[in-house]
């Protein structure tokens, strides 16, 4: 497995692979890897000849009061995991390499970035689309792998690829969970023992709303109320938002969800200073 920090070098390697008619898959990450990340590289391995994983804690997508500087990092362990997973190359640039002094461009998707996570984290998705566009241009993958865990990110990246004609396919992988339902996340490490127990409330809220939906509860506001009630029953949990939205345009369903339409149930919940997100797409 190669560890590459230079953009030119990374681009040269993947260009060689493409010239040799090899299919290339990319799994972008911010590191501190868990099985959720590895499910992306495993899927990429099945569908491509060569797999690149990127590890880059992207400063552009963190707000000034967010956890950029304390975001967990463990490069050595990450490299061990990726090596055992059979990844061919790891792209791990510095911030200076990605954003040199005169860097002055951005990629922004409008319309679906000002709700949900975008409403709570101004500038977040502009940071995400800018770094992902750079990664796509540097690595030129045939396929790029993302987790359903970050449902709005998935919608935003798909829209960017469609609107700007990036010549690649976006593959979405299901959310991997701990045995008690908590979605795997690098940020789970911030939780103390009590918060960790309380954090299963996200899964319970989603599961309760899903059961209600399957039993015929098809009102957006009723589903939000159900999720809110479950989260409120947990004293350590503070709701940022709960949502029952159209999965394509992310607009909230107020009344009846029309037959044949899906619904994205999603939420952000705080435990102390830790903010967790989760979702079910029905
Ligand atoms: P991150 O390192 O948090 O930026 O995540 C990198 C990629 O892994 C993103 O596409 C995430 O959606 C995906 N991911 C994170 N957690 C999970 C999970 N529990 N299951 C599946 N994919 C995940």
């Amino acid at each position: 497995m190669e560890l590459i920090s230079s953009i030119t070098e990374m681009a040269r390697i993947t260009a060689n692979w493409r010239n040799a008619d090899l299919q290339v898959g990319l799994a972008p990450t911010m590191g501190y890897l868990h099985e959720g990340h590895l499910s992306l590289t495993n899927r990429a391995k099945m569908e491509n000849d060569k797999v690149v994983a990127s590890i880059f804690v992207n400063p552009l997508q963190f707000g000034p009061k967010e956890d950029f500087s304390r975001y967990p990092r463990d490069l050595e362990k990450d490299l061990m995991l990726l090596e055992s997973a059979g990844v061919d190359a790891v792209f791990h640039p510095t911030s200076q390499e990605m954003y040199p002094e005169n860097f002055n461009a951005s990629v922004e998707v409008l319309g679906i970035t000002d709700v949900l996570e975008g409403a709570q984290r101004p500038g977040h998705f502009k940071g995400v689309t800018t770094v992902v566009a750079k990664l796509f241009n540097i690595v030129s993958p045939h396929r790029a792998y993302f987790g359903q865990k970050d449902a709005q990110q998935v919608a935003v990246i798909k829209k960017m690829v469609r609107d700007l004609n990036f010549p690649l396919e976006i593959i979405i992988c299901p959310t991997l969970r701990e045995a008690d339902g908590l979605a795997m996340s690098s940020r789970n490490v911030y939780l103390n023992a009590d918060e960790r127990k309380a954090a299963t409330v996200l899964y319970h809220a989603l599961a309760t709303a899903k059961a209600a939906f399957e039993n015929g509860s098809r009102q957006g506001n009723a589903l939000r109320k159900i999720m809110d009630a479950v989260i409120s029953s947990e004293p350590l949990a503070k709701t940022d938002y709960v949502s029952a939205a159209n999965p394509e345009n992310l607009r909230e369903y107020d009344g009846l969800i029309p037959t044949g339409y899906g619904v994205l149930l999603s939420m952000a919940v705080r435990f102390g200073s830790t903010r967790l997100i989760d979702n079910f797409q029905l």
Side-chain angles (χ1 to χ4, degrees):
M1 188 177 76
E2 301 198 59
L3 175 61
I4 297 136
S5 56
S6 142
I7 289 175
T8 327
E9 178 66 1
M10 185 71 254
R12 191 188 61 77
I13 290 173
T14 45
N16 283 345
W17 287 340
R18 286 188 78 109
N19 289 338
D21 233 2
L22 298 172
Q23 298 278 307
V24 181
L26 168 68
T29 82
M30 298 203 298
Y32 211 74
L33 304 179
H34 49 67
E35 284 170 52
H37 295 113
L38 298 176
S39 73
L40 308 189
T41 61
N42 289 339
R43 174 90 184 265
K45 243 189 112 56
M46 293 193 303
E47 298 175 350
N48 300 274
D49 302 304
K50 296 286 185 184
V51 174
V52 178
S54 61
I55 299 179
F56 181 59
V57 185
N58 175 32
L60 288 194
Q61 71 189 67
F62 288 79
K65 292 191 184 137
E66 292 182 4
D67 56 347
F68 173 69
S69 53
R70 72 172 186 130
Y71 195 83
R73 293 158 169 92
D74 189 344
L75 183 62
E76 222 169 284
K77 184 177 170 206
D78 288 350
L79 294 178
M80 234 175 53
L81 291 170
L82 293 173
E83 174 109 62
S84 338
V87 164
D88 298 281
V90 176
F91 182 50
H92 178 58
T94 60
S95 291
Q96 178 63 24
E97 177 75 359
M98 290 294 267
Y99 308 119
E101 214 136 278
N102 51 359
F103 181 85
N104 215 358
S106 60
V107 176
E108 189 170 17
V109 170
L110 304 174
I112 56 170
T113 50
D114 52 3
V115 294
L116 305 174
E117 287 301 285
Q120 305 267 325
R121 305 181 67 189
H124 169 68
F125 286 114
K126 189 172 169 185
V128 169
T129 41
T130 300
V131 79
V132 170
K134 278 178 73 82
L135 291 169
F136 286 175
N137 285 332
I138 294 163
V139 177
S140 302
H142 295 85
R143 293 172 200 85
Y145 296 81
F146 293 89
Q148 175 63 26
K149 160 87 189 335
D150 298 278
Q152 189 175 11
Q153 172 170 283
V154 161
V156 170
I157 288 169
K158 277 187 166 171
K159 185 122 180 62
M160 176 186 84
V161 164
R162 213 178 309 133
D163 288 359
L164 296 179
N165 310 100
F166 279 92
L168 50 84
E169 194 185 344
I170 300 296
I171 314 279
I172 308 310
C173 304
T175 303
L176 258 72
R177 298 177 179 282
E178 304 289 353
D180 62 4
L182 177 66
M184 290 182 185
S185 164
S186 308
R187 288 188 168 100
N188 291 348
V189 70
Y190 297 147
L191 301 168
N192 67 32
D194 290 338
E195 292 167 343
R196 170 63 188 81
K197 263 189 224 146
T200 57
V201 78
L202 282 87
Y203 179 74
H204 291 308
L206 290 165
T208 309
K210 178 178 183 231
F213 179 83
E214 284 167 353
N215 285 324
S217 175
R218 298 289 159 105
Q219 300 276 344
N221 34 4
L223 294 171
R224 285 189 292 276
K225 237 187 195 163
I226 290 169
M227 294 187 285
D228 236 341
V230 176
I231 298 166
S232 304
S233 72
E234 172 48 65
L236 293 180
K238 299 275 171 292
T239 307
D240 258 8
Y241 65 82
V242 294
S243 162
N246 177 309
E248 303 275 310
N249 60 29
L250 305 184
R251 277 197 214 123
E252 291 301 318
Y253 285 124
D254 279 326
L256 196 66
I257 299 165
T259 324
Y261 279 71
V263 56
L264 176 68
L265 304 176
S266 68
M267 56 184 55
V269 181
R270 289 177 194 274
F271 301 86
S273 59
T274 305
R275 184 175 180 279
L276 301 181
I277 59 171
D278 201 352
N279 71 85
F280 277 8
Q281 188 168 327
L282 310 181

